[in-house]
mmCIF file of all heavy atoms in Angstrom:
data_model
loop_
_atom_site.group_PDB
_atom_site.id
_atom_site.type_symbol
_atom_site.label_atom_id
_atom_site.label_comp_id
_atom_site.label_asym_id
_atom_site.label_seq_id
_atom_site.Cartn_x
_atom_site.Cartn_y
_atom_site.Cartn_z
ATOM 1 N N THR A 1 106.855 104.258 103.413
ATOM 2 C CA THR A 1 105.452 104.661 103.392
ATOM 3 C C THR A 1 104.863 104.321 102.031
ATOM 4 O O THR A 1 105.582 104.227 101.030
ATOM 5 C CB THR A 1 105.303 106.178 103.629
ATOM 6 O OG1 THR A 1 106.067 106.888 102.641
ATOM 7 C CG2 THR A 1 105.788 106.582 105.002
ATOM 8 N N ARG A 2 103.569 104.131 101.997
ATOM 9 C CA ARG A 2 102.882 103.942 100.732
ATOM 10 C C ARG A 2 102.506 105.307 100.161
ATOM 11 O O ARG A 2 102.450 106.300 100.876
ATOM 12 C CB ARG A 2 101.638 103.070 100.924
ATOM 13 C CG ARG A 2 101.961 101.655 101.403
ATOM 14 C CD ARG A 2 100.695 100.824 101.504
ATOM 15 N NE ARG A 2 101.005 99.436 101.791
ATOM 16 C CZ ARG A 2 100.993 98.908 102.995
ATOM 17 N NH1 ARG A 2 100.736 99.666 104.042
ATOM 18 N NH2 ARG A 2 101.266 97.633 103.171
ATOM 19 N N SER A 3 102.208 105.328 98.868
ATOM 20 C CA SER A 3 101.821 106.595 98.248
ATOM 21 C C SER A 3 100.681 106.374 97.264
ATOM 22 O O SER A 3 100.623 105.352 96.577
ATOM 23 C CB SER A 3 103.024 107.235 97.544
ATOM 24 O OG SER A 3 103.582 106.369 96.568
ATOM 25 N N ILE A 4 99.768 107.352 97.240
ATOM 26 C CA ILE A 4 98.666 107.322 96.293
ATOM 27 C C ILE A 4 98.534 108.693 95.645
ATOM 28 O O ILE A 4 98.930 109.710 96.229
ATOM 29 C CB ILE A 4 97.323 106.932 96.951
ATOM 30 C CG1 ILE A 4 96.875 108.004 97.956
ATOM 31 C CG2 ILE A 4 97.426 105.575 97.629
ATOM 32 C CD1 ILE A 4 95.465 107.756 98.486
ATOM 33 N N TYR A 5 98.003 108.690 94.436
ATOM 34 C CA TYR A 5 97.737 109.957 93.751
ATOM 35 C C TYR A 5 96.284 109.920 93.292
ATOM 36 O O TYR A 5 95.879 109.012 92.548
ATOM 37 C CB TYR A 5 98.670 110.148 92.557
ATOM 38 C CG TYR A 5 98.894 111.595 92.207
ATOM 39 C CD1 TYR A 5 100.041 112.258 92.619
ATOM 40 C CD2 TYR A 5 97.936 112.309 91.507
ATOM 41 C CE1 TYR A 5 100.239 113.597 92.330
ATOM 42 C CE2 TYR A 5 98.120 113.651 91.212
ATOM 43 C CZ TYR A 5 99.276 114.295 91.628
ATOM 44 O OH TYR A 5 99.461 115.627 91.358
ATOM 45 N N VAL A 6 95.509 110.880 93.756
ATOM 46 C CA VAL A 6 94.080 110.924 93.470
ATOM 47 C C VAL A 6 93.834 111.838 92.272
ATOM 48 O O VAL A 6 94.311 112.987 92.247
ATOM 49 C CB VAL A 6 93.285 111.405 94.698
ATOM 50 C CG1 VAL A 6 91.792 111.463 94.396
ATOM 51 C CG2 VAL A 6 93.546 110.484 95.892
ATOM 52 N N VAL A 7 93.092 111.321 91.310
ATOM 53 C CA VAL A 7 92.840 112.061 90.068
ATOM 54 C C VAL A 7 91.339 112.099 89.790
ATOM 55 O O VAL A 7 90.566 111.303 90.330
ATOM 56 C CB VAL A 7 93.573 111.417 88.878
ATOM 57 C CG1 VAL A 7 95.086 111.453 89.082
ATOM 58 C CG2 VAL A 7 93.115 109.974 88.661
ATOM 59 N N ASP A 8 90.935 113.017 88.922
ATOM 60 C CA ASP A 8 89.523 113.108 88.547
ATOM 61 C C ASP A 8 89.126 111.950 87.642
ATOM 62 O O ASP A 8 88.027 111.400 87.766
ATOM 63 C CB ASP A 8 89.250 114.433 87.829
ATOM 64 C CG ASP A 8 89.485 115.631 88.735
ATOM 65 O OD1 ASP A 8 89.359 115.463 89.964
ATOM 66 O OD2 ASP A 8 89.804 116.717 88.227
ATOM 67 N N GLU A 9 90.017 111.591 86.717
ATOM 68 C CA GLU A 9 89.715 110.537 85.753
ATOM 69 C C GLU A 9 90.899 109.586 85.666
ATOM 70 O O GLU A 9 92.035 110.014 85.432
ATOM 71 C CB GLU A 9 89.430 111.143 84.379
ATOM 72 C CG GLU A 9 89.074 110.129 83.318
ATOM 73 C CD GLU A 9 88.828 110.769 81.963
ATOM 74 O OE1 GLU A 9 88.843 112.009 81.866
ATOM 75 O OE2 GLU A 9 88.630 110.012 80.985
ATOM 76 N N LEU A 10 90.632 108.293 85.834
ATOM 77 C CA LEU A 10 91.694 107.290 85.851
ATOM 78 C C LEU A 10 92.181 106.999 84.435
ATOM 79 O O LEU A 10 91.416 106.584 83.571
ATOM 80 C CB LEU A 10 91.174 105.999 86.498
ATOM 81 C CG LEU A 10 92.221 104.935 86.837
ATOM 82 C CD1 LEU A 10 93.148 105.436 87.934
ATOM 83 C CD2 LEU A 10 91.537 103.647 87.263
ATOM 84 N N LYS A 11 93.485 107.236 84.206
ATOM 85 C CA LYS A 11 94.082 106.951 82.905
ATOM 86 C C LYS A 11 95.091 105.811 82.974
ATOM 87 O O LYS A 11 95.416 105.208 81.963
ATOM 88 C CB LYS A 11 94.754 108.211 82.357
ATOM 89 C CG LYS A 11 93.778 109.350 82.081
ATOM 90 C CD LYS A 11 94.486 110.578 81.522
ATOM 91 C CE LYS A 11 93.484 111.696 81.243
ATOM 92 N NZ LYS A 11 94.163 112.913 80.716
ATOM 93 N N ARG A 12 95.621 105.551 84.150
ATOM 94 C CA ARG A 12 96.491 104.410 84.403
ATOM 95 C C ARG A 12 96.410 104.085 85.881
ATOM 96 O O ARG A 12 95.953 104.910 86.680
ATOM 97 C CB ARG A 12 97.925 104.694 83.964
ATOM 98 C CG ARG A 12 98.560 105.917 84.606
ATOM 99 C CD ARG A 12 99.893 106.269 83.999
ATOM 100 N NE ARG A 12 100.905 105.272 84.281
ATOM 101 C CZ ARG A 12 102.190 105.414 83.932
ATOM 102 N NH1 ARG A 12 102.583 106.493 83.285
ATOM 103 N NH2 ARG A 12 103.066 104.480 84.211
ATOM 104 N N GLU A 13 96.852 102.906 86.266
ATOM 105 C CA GLU A 13 96.624 102.448 87.636
ATOM 106 C C GLU A 13 97.773 102.715 88.589
ATOM 107 O O GLU A 13 97.584 102.687 89.798
ATOM 108 C CB GLU A 13 96.289 100.953 87.633
ATOM 109 C CG GLU A 13 94.951 100.653 86.961
ATOM 110 C CD GLU A 13 94.479 99.241 87.239
ATOM 111 O OE1 GLU A 13 95.326 98.408 87.621
ATOM 112 O OE2 GLU A 13 93.270 98.983 87.076
ATOM 113 N N SER A 14 98.969 102.949 88.068
ATOM 114 C CA SER A 14 100.096 103.235 88.960
ATOM 115 C C SER A 14 101.198 103.942 88.201
ATOM 116 O O SER A 14 101.260 103.889 86.967
ATOM 117 C CB SER A 14 100.641 101.948 89.591
ATOM 118 O OG SER A 14 101.265 101.141 88.614
ATOM 119 N N VAL A 15 102.063 104.606 88.964
ATOM 120 C CA VAL A 15 103.276 105.227 88.424
ATOM 121 C C VAL A 15 104.414 104.838 89.356
ATOM 122 O O VAL A 15 104.505 105.323 90.489
ATOM 123 C CB VAL A 15 103.161 106.757 88.343
ATOM 124 C CG1 VAL A 15 104.496 107.372 87.911
ATOM 125 C CG2 VAL A 15 102.057 107.169 87.386
ATOM 126 N N ASP A 16 105.266 103.929 88.893
ATOM 127 C CA ASP A 16 106.433 103.495 89.679
ATOM 128 C C ASP A 16 106.086 103.112 91.110
ATOM 129 O O ASP A 16 106.828 103.406 92.045
ATOM 130 C CB ASP A 16 107.490 104.601 89.695
ATOM 131 C CG ASP A 16 108.183 104.748 88.355
ATOM 132 O OD1 ASP A 16 107.911 103.931 87.459
ATOM 133 O OD2 ASP A 16 108.994 105.677 88.201
ATOM 134 N N GLY A 17 104.927 102.479 91.307
ATOM 135 C CA GLY A 17 104.559 102.043 92.648
ATOM 136 C C GLY A 17 103.594 102.950 93.359
ATOM 137 O O GLY A 17 103.017 102.558 94.378
ATOM 138 N N THR A 18 103.401 104.177 92.883
ATOM 139 C CA THR A 18 102.370 105.043 93.450
ATOM 140 C C THR A 18 101.031 104.657 92.834
ATOM 141 O O THR A 18 100.870 104.705 91.608
ATOM 142 C CB THR A 18 102.663 106.525 93.164
ATOM 143 O OG1 THR A 18 103.833 106.922 93.868
ATOM 144 C CG2 THR A 18 101.499 107.416 93.608
ATOM 145 N N ALA A 19 100.082 104.274 93.683
ATOM 146 C CA ALA A 19 98.769 103.869 93.189
ATOM 147 C C ALA A 19 97.988 105.092 92.723
ATOM 148 O O ALA A 19 97.913 106.105 93.432
ATOM 149 C CB ALA A 19 98.001 103.145 94.288
ATOM 150 N N ILE A 20 97.416 105.001 91.519
ATOM 151 C CA ILE A 20 96.568 106.078 90.995
ATOM 152 C C ILE A 20 95.118 105.695 91.272
ATOM 153 O O ILE A 20 94.659 104.609 90.880
ATOM 154 C CB ILE A 20 96.785 106.287 89.486
ATOM 155 C CG1 ILE A 20 98.288 106.434 89.184
ATOM 156 C CG2 ILE A 20 96.007 107.506 89.012
ATOM 157 C CD1 ILE A 20 98.957 107.588 89.881
ATOM 158 N N ILE A 21 94.394 106.573 91.961
ATOM 159 C CA ILE A 21 93.032 106.274 92.403
ATOM 160 C C ILE A 21 92.101 107.400 91.964
ATOM 161 O O ILE A 21 92.406 108.583 92.181
ATOM 162 C CB ILE A 21 92.976 106.094 93.931
ATOM 163 C CG1 ILE A 21 93.904 104.953 94.370
ATOM 164 C CG2 ILE A 21 91.553 105.829 94.399
ATOM 165 C CD1 ILE A 21 93.979 104.754 95.877
ATOM 166 N N GLU A 22 91.013 107.042 91.365
ATOM 167 C CA GLU A 22 90.025 108.036 90.944
ATOM 168 C C GLU A 22 89.299 108.574 92.174
ATOM 169 O O GLU A 22 89.055 107.852 93.141
ATOM 170 C CB GLU A 22 89.035 107.389 89.978
ATOM 171 C CG GLU A 22 88.303 108.379 89.102
ATOM 172 C CD GLU A 22 87.587 107.679 87.953
ATOM 173 O OE1 GLU A 22 86.415 107.284 88.145
ATOM 174 O OE2 GLU A 22 88.206 107.519 86.869
ATOM 175 N N GLU A 23 88.938 109.847 92.129
ATOM 176 C CA GLU A 23 88.323 110.482 93.293
ATOM 177 C C GLU A 23 87.043 109.776 93.715
ATOM 178 O O GLU A 23 86.770 109.617 94.909
ATOM 179 C CB GLU A 23 88.042 111.958 92.994
ATOM 180 C CG GLU A 23 87.592 112.735 94.207
ATOM 181 C CD GLU A 23 87.640 114.238 93.996
ATOM 182 O OE1 GLU A 23 88.037 114.679 92.909
ATOM 183 O OE2 GLU A 23 87.278 114.965 94.936
ATOM 184 N N SER A 24 86.258 109.311 92.746
ATOM 185 C CA SER A 24 85.021 108.603 93.088
ATOM 186 C C SER A 24 85.318 107.297 93.818
ATOM 187 O O SER A 24 84.551 106.866 94.691
ATOM 188 C CB SER A 24 84.208 108.331 91.817
ATOM 189 O OG SER A 24 84.957 107.536 90.903
ATOM 190 N N GLU A 25 86.444 106.657 93.484
ATOM 191 C CA GLU A 25 86.847 105.437 94.188
ATOM 192 C C GLU A 25 87.229 105.752 95.628
ATOM 193 O O GLU A 25 86.901 104.989 96.550
ATOM 194 C CB GLU A 25 88.027 104.776 93.473
ATOM 195 C CG GLU A 25 87.718 104.232 92.097
ATOM 196 C CD GLU A 25 88.944 103.647 91.424
ATOM 197 O OE1 GLU A 25 89.940 104.381 91.270
ATOM 198 O OE2 GLU A 25 88.910 102.457 91.065
ATOM 199 N N MET A 26 87.938 106.838 95.828
ATOM 200 C CA MET A 26 88.318 107.247 97.184
ATOM 201 C C MET A 26 87.075 107.483 98.036
ATOM 202 O O MET A 26 86.997 107.036 99.191
ATOM 203 C CB MET A 26 89.168 108.513 97.156
ATOM 204 C CG MET A 26 90.622 108.307 96.856
ATOM 205 S SD MET A 26 91.509 107.342 98.124
ATOM 206 C CE MET A 26 91.369 108.400 99.567
ATOM 207 N N GLU A 27 86.095 108.168 97.481
ATOM 208 C CA GLU A 27 84.890 108.490 98.249
ATOM 209 C C GLU A 27 84.102 107.247 98.631
ATOM 210 O O GLU A 27 83.341 107.261 99.598
ATOM 211 C CB GLU A 27 84.025 109.458 97.446
ATOM 212 C CG GLU A 27 84.671 110.831 97.275
ATOM 213 C CD GLU A 27 83.882 111.747 96.354
ATOM 214 O OE1 GLU A 27 82.915 111.261 95.715
ATOM 215 O OE2 GLU A 27 84.233 112.939 96.266
ATOM 216 N N ALA A 28 84.301 106.142 97.873
ATOM 217 C CA ALA A 28 83.570 104.906 98.156
ATOM 218 C C ALA A 28 84.283 104.017 99.172
ATOM 219 O O ALA A 28 83.728 102.997 99.603
ATOM 220 C CB ALA A 28 83.358 104.132 96.851
ATOM 221 N N ILE A 29 85.492 104.374 99.588
ATOM 222 C CA ILE A 29 86.251 103.551 100.539
ATOM 223 C C ILE A 29 85.605 103.628 101.915
ATOM 224 O O ILE A 29 85.323 104.722 102.437
ATOM 225 C CB ILE A 29 87.720 104.008 100.589
ATOM 226 C CG1 ILE A 29 88.419 103.651 99.270
ATOM 227 C CG2 ILE A 29 88.450 103.375 101.768
ATOM 228 C CD1 ILE A 29 89.830 104.184 99.157
ATOM 229 N N ASP A 30 85.392 102.456 102.533
ATOM 230 C CA ASP A 30 84.689 102.396 103.815
ATOM 231 C C ASP A 30 85.611 102.261 105.018
ATOM 232 O O ASP A 30 85.246 102.667 106.127
ATOM 233 C CB ASP A 30 83.706 101.212 103.821
ATOM 234 C CG ASP A 30 82.512 101.452 102.908
ATOM 235 O OD1 ASP A 30 82.092 102.611 102.784
ATOM 236 O OD2 ASP A 30 82.020 100.473 102.318
ATOM 237 N N ASP A 31 86.782 101.651 104.833
ATOM 238 C CA ASP A 31 87.671 101.470 105.979
ATOM 239 C C ASP A 31 89.119 101.370 105.501
ATOM 240 O O ASP A 31 89.396 101.344 104.299
ATOM 241 C CB ASP A 31 87.281 100.238 106.810
ATOM 242 C CG ASP A 31 87.229 98.955 105.990
ATOM 243 O OD1 ASP A 31 88.105 98.779 105.109
ATOM 244 O OD2 ASP A 31 86.321 98.128 106.225
ATOM 245 N N ALA A 32 90.035 101.316 106.470
ATOM 246 C CA ALA A 32 91.469 101.305 106.156
ATOM 247 C C ALA A 32 91.855 100.061 105.363
ATOM 248 O O ALA A 32 92.766 100.110 104.534
ATOM 249 C CB ALA A 32 92.277 101.394 107.447
ATOM 250 N N ASP A 33 91.165 98.941 105.596
ATOM 251 C CA ASP A 33 91.481 97.718 104.843
ATOM 252 C C ASP A 33 91.175 97.892 103.363
ATOM 253 O O ASP A 33 91.923 97.411 102.502
ATOM 254 C CB ASP A 33 90.687 96.539 105.404
ATOM 255 C CG ASP A 33 91.191 96.089 106.770
ATOM 256 O OD1 ASP A 33 92.347 96.438 107.108
ATOM 257 O OD2 ASP A 33 90.435 95.410 107.492
ATOM 258 N N ASP A 34 90.066 98.558 103.051
ATOM 259 C CA ASP A 34 89.725 98.811 101.647
ATOM 260 C C ASP A 34 90.817 99.638 100.971
ATOM 261 O O ASP A 34 91.202 99.358 99.831
ATOM 262 C CB ASP A 34 88.389 99.558 101.543
ATOM 263 C CG ASP A 34 87.197 98.673 101.871
ATOM 264 O OD1 ASP A 34 87.375 97.441 101.923
ATOM 265 O OD2 ASP A 34 86.099 99.221 102.090
ATOM 266 N N LEU A 35 91.296 100.651 101.681
ATOM 267 C CA LEU A 35 92.353 101.492 101.113
ATOM 268 C C LEU A 35 93.624 100.679 100.911
ATOM 269 O O LEU A 35 94.261 100.760 99.854
ATOM 270 C CB LEU A 35 92.629 102.681 102.031
ATOM 271 C CG LEU A 35 93.770 103.606 101.581
ATOM 272 C CD1 LEU A 35 93.454 104.253 100.240
ATOM 273 C CD2 LEU A 35 94.057 104.670 102.636
ATOM 274 N N ARG A 36 94.010 99.889 101.913
ATOM 275 C CA ARG A 36 95.219 99.078 101.793
ATOM 276 C C ARG A 36 95.120 98.112 100.618
ATOM 277 O O ARG A 36 96.072 97.954 99.840
ATOM 278 C CB ARG A 36 95.455 98.301 103.087
ATOM 279 C CG ARG A 36 96.772 97.523 103.083
ATOM 280 C CD ARG A 36 96.896 96.579 104.249
ATOM 281 N NE ARG A 36 95.873 95.547 104.197
ATOM 282 C CZ ARG A 36 94.987 95.315 105.165
ATOM 283 N NH1 ARG A 36 95.004 96.038 106.260
ATOM 284 N NH2 ARG A 36 94.081 94.362 105.041
ATOM 285 N N ASP A 37 93.962 97.470 100.476
ATOM 286 C CA ASP A 37 93.786 96.512 99.381
ATOM 287 C C ASP A 37 93.906 97.194 98.028
ATOM 288 O O ASP A 37 94.509 96.642 97.090
ATOM 289 C CB ASP A 37 92.430 95.815 99.501
ATOM 290 C CG ASP A 37 92.357 94.878 100.701
ATOM 291 O OD1 ASP A 37 93.428 94.555 101.257
ATOM 292 O OD2 ASP A 37 91.234 94.498 101.085
ATOM 293 N N LEU A 38 93.352 98.403 97.916
ATOM 294 C CA LEU A 38 93.405 99.119 96.651
ATOM 295 C C LEU A 38 94.841 99.531 96.330
ATOM 296 O O LEU A 38 95.296 99.427 95.183
ATOM 297 C CB LEU A 38 92.494 100.352 96.716
ATOM 298 C CG LEU A 38 92.237 101.105 95.410
ATOM 299 C CD1 LEU A 38 91.708 100.171 94.336
ATOM 300 C CD2 LEU A 38 91.280 102.263 95.646
ATOM 301 N N ILE A 39 95.558 99.959 97.352
ATOM 302 C CA ILE A 39 96.966 100.332 97.141
ATOM 303 C C ILE A 39 97.786 99.109 96.735
ATOM 304 O O ILE A 39 98.604 99.171 95.814
ATOM 305 C CB ILE A 39 97.546 100.967 98.423
ATOM 306 C CG1 ILE A 39 96.880 102.318 98.704
ATOM 307 C CG2 ILE A 39 99.056 101.157 98.286
ATOM 308 C CD1 ILE A 39 97.277 102.926 100.039
ATOM 309 N N MET A 40 97.574 97.987 97.408
ATOM 310 C CA MET A 40 98.327 96.774 97.100
ATOM 311 C C MET A 40 98.002 96.265 95.700
ATOM 312 O O MET A 40 98.861 95.727 94.999
ATOM 313 C CB MET A 40 98.021 95.690 98.136
ATOM 314 C CG MET A 40 98.497 96.029 99.543
ATOM 315 S SD MET A 40 100.294 96.053 99.670
ATOM 316 C CE MET A 40 100.651 94.301 99.593
ATOM 317 N N GLU A 41 96.753 96.449 95.289
ATOM 318 C CA GLU A 41 96.338 96.004 93.959
ATOM 319 C C GLU A 41 97.005 96.820 92.860
ATOM 320 O O GLU A 41 97.422 96.285 91.835
ATOM 321 C CB GLU A 41 94.822 96.112 93.842
ATOM 322 C CG GLU A 41 94.271 95.759 92.467
ATOM 323 C CD GLU A 41 92.781 96.028 92.362
ATOM 324 O OE1 GLU A 41 92.081 95.956 93.407
ATOM 325 O OE2 GLU A 41 92.315 96.321 91.256
ATOM 326 N N ARG A 42 97.169 98.115 93.107
ATOM 327 C CA ARG A 42 97.654 99.002 92.044
ATOM 328 C C ARG A 42 99.100 99.436 92.211
ATOM 329 O O ARG A 42 99.762 99.775 91.244
ATOM 330 C CB ARG A 42 96.765 100.251 91.971
ATOM 331 C CG ARG A 42 95.354 99.906 91.563
ATOM 332 C CD ARG A 42 94.531 101.107 91.281
ATOM 333 N NE ARG A 42 93.189 100.695 90.906
ATOM 334 C CZ ARG A 42 92.176 101.520 90.744
ATOM 335 N NH1 ARG A 42 92.359 102.829 90.931
ATOM 336 N NH2 ARG A 42 90.976 101.074 90.403
ATOM 337 N N GLY A 43 99.564 99.477 93.428
ATOM 338 C CA GLY A 43 100.939 99.931 93.654
ATOM 339 C C GLY A 43 101.795 98.796 94.162
ATOM 340 O O GLY A 43 101.508 97.615 93.952
ATOM 341 N N GLU A 44 102.862 99.161 94.836
ATOM 342 C CA GLU A 44 103.772 98.191 95.409
ATOM 343 C C GLU A 44 104.043 98.572 96.843
ATOM 344 O O GLU A 44 104.105 99.749 97.183
ATOM 345 C CB GLU A 44 105.097 98.155 94.640
ATOM 346 C CG GLU A 44 104.969 97.631 93.221
ATOM 347 C CD GLU A 44 106.305 97.662 92.505
ATOM 348 O OE1 GLU A 44 107.083 98.596 92.728
ATOM 349 O OE2 GLU A 44 106.564 96.762 91.702
ATOM 350 N N ASP A 45 104.229 97.569 97.686
ATOM 351 C CA ASP A 45 104.551 97.788 99.085
ATOM 352 C C ASP A 45 106.010 98.191 99.199
ATOM 353 O O ASP A 45 106.891 97.428 98.768
ATOM 354 C CB ASP A 45 104.287 96.506 99.884
ATOM 355 C CG ASP A 45 104.423 96.718 101.383
ATOM 356 O OD1 ASP A 45 105.047 97.703 101.807
ATOM 357 O OD2 ASP A 45 103.915 95.862 102.113
#
């Protein structure tokens, strides 16, 4: 499974493959593809 950690303020983009995502970024996601792309950009499959 993939993993993400949602934070108030972005201080780094990933931790050992877990994508770190700012809450405002999460709220702007429109579909599952956007989420997948963000996870792939910051984390690891």
Side-chain angles (χ1 to χ4, degrees):
T1 57
R2 297 183 173 96
S3 57
I4 65 172
Y5 206 100
V6 180
V7 297
D8 296 334
E9 181 181 355
L10 191 66
K11 296 181 179 179
R12 57 188 293 185
E13 293 193 341
S14 69
V15 174
D16 288 355
T18 293
I20 309 300
I21 301 177
E22 201 167 89
E23 188 166 359
S24 60
E25 294 177 303
M26 279 296 297
E27 293 174 351
I29 290 174
D30 289 327
D31 56 39
D33 288 341
D34 288 346
L35 177 63
R36 185 190 64 237
D37 291 345
L38 190 54
I39 293 173
M40 295 292 287
E41 176 186 331
R42 295 189 180 172
E44 293 178 324
D45 188 341

